[in-house]
Amino acid sequence: MSTLELCEKFFATRDVYKLMGIAKDAKEKDIKKAYHKLSLLVHPDRVPDAQKDESTEKFKVLSKIYQVLTDSQKRAVYDEQGIIDDDDEGKLTNWLDLWSKIFKPLSEEDISNYEKEYVGSELERADIKKAYLGGKGCINYIMNHVPFMKVEDEPRFKEIVAGMIASNEVPEYKIFTEEPAAKRNKRHKKYARESKEAVIIKERIQRRREKDAEAEQEISGDGNLEQMILARKNQRESNYNSLMDRLLEKYAGEDDSDTVDFSTFDKKKKLKAKTPSKHTQKSAKINSVKKGRVEKPRA
C-alpha cells in the first residue's frame, strides 16, 4: 500500500496536514512538534504487545510524513500534485533511529507530563469514542486502545461514553451498558495483578540502577580497583564469620565439652554399614543356597 493509502487506513484521511493537525503553511518547528505529539501516542515501546504491529505501522507512516513535510522538494510535490513518492521507501528502514535523532530519549517525567496534558483533553475524548466504536462497546477493548487508561478511570470514561450515547453521538451497545459482573471482576483482577508486577519490576530496575551507579562511582574514584575488589572480599568473609559466630553463640552454648567429633561419627557409620544386621543374618539362615539348591531349615 502507498503512504497515502496507509494514512487513510490508520488515520482516516489522505490529507497529511489534517492528520498532523497543522496548517498548510506550517513551519518546520510546528511540524516537528506535531510529529512528536502524535508519535508518542503510537510509539511501539509504549503500547501493549497486542497493539505493537499496528502501532509500528502507524509510527512508520508518521515518520514518512515527517520526512516529506521537512523536505522542500517532496513537500512541494505533495502540495502541487497531492502525491508522495514512495520509491525511496527502502531508505526508511531506520525510522526508529530517525525518531531518536530528532527527539531526546523519553524519560518518566516526559511521559508523566504528557499524561497530565492528555487525560481529560479533547484528544482523549476522541480516542475514547474511536475505541468505543471500534470495540462495539467492549470495555476491555477501550482499556487497551486508549493511552494511560487504568481501572480507576472506568467511572470517568463510562460517564463520557454515557454522555455520547445520550446525545446520539454514538449508538448504545448492551455489552457496554450491561456488562456482566464476571467479566468486570476478571478485568479488575487482571489489572490488580499487573499493577503488582509493575511495582516489582520497577523496584528491580531501581536497585540495578543504584548498583550500577555505585560501581561507576567506585571505579571512577581515586581508589585502586584491585584494592576495592580485595576490600569487598574481606567484607564478605567478615560478614560470613560474624554470622557463624552468632549461630555458635545461639546454639552451641558456652561448654566446650559438648564439641562433637564428626570423624568418629563417620567411622561408626561405615562400620555399621559393613556389619550385617540380625535380620539379614536370620534371612540368610532361613534360605541359603548350597551347591545350586535352596536349603531350607529343618523344622
Side-chain angles (χ1 to χ4, degrees), residues 132 137 165 172-179:
Y132 174 80
I165 295 173
E172 178 182 351
Y173 293 111
K174 295 294 183 182
I175 193 175
F176 180 86
T177 56
E178 300 177 9
E179 183 185 36

Side-chain angles (χ1 to χ4, degrees), residues 55-120:
S55 179
T56 298
E57 293 305 316
K58 288 181 178 180
F59 197 92
K60 291 165 77 172
V61 170
L62 290 175
S63 299
K64 176 67 177 181
I65 293 173
Y66 175 80
Q67 281 194 327
V68 170
L69 294 181
T70 53
D71 185 296
S72 57
Q73 294 182 349
K74 293 178 180 179
R75 184 174 180 179
V77 171
Y78 175 78
D79 289 343
E80 295 174 6
Q81 305 179 33
I83 60 174
I84 290 179
D85 183 12
D86 290 320
D87 290 341
D88 61 346
E89 190 65 27
K91 299 178 182 179
L92 197 61
T93 53
N94 296 325
W95 39 272
L96 278 173
D97 291 341
L98 168 67
W99 196 87
S100 62
K101 289 177 181 178
I102 299 172
F103 308 110
K104 65 178 183 178
L106 281 177
S107 66
E108 291 186 14
E109 185 179 0
D110 294 330
I111 297 174
S112 178
N113 291 336
Y114 181 74
E115 181 179 1
K116 292 176 183 177
E117 295 179 5
Y118 177 79
V119 174

Side-chain angles (χ1 to χ4, degrees), residues 155-179:
R156 182 175 64 85
F157 82 74
K158 283 182 177 179
E159 185 177 349
I160 294 174
V161 174
M164 295 179 181
I165 295 173
S167 62
N168 295 323
E169 188 175 346
V170 295
E172 178 182 351
Y173 293 111
K174 295 294 183 182
I175 193 175
F176 180 86
T177 56
E178 300 177 9
E179 183 185 36

Side-chain angles (χ1 to χ4, degrees), residues 38-51:
L38 286 175
S39 59
L40 279 177
L41 290 175
V42 299
H43 197 289
D45 293 340
R46 300 182 60 245
V47 299
D49 290 340
Q51 302 176 32

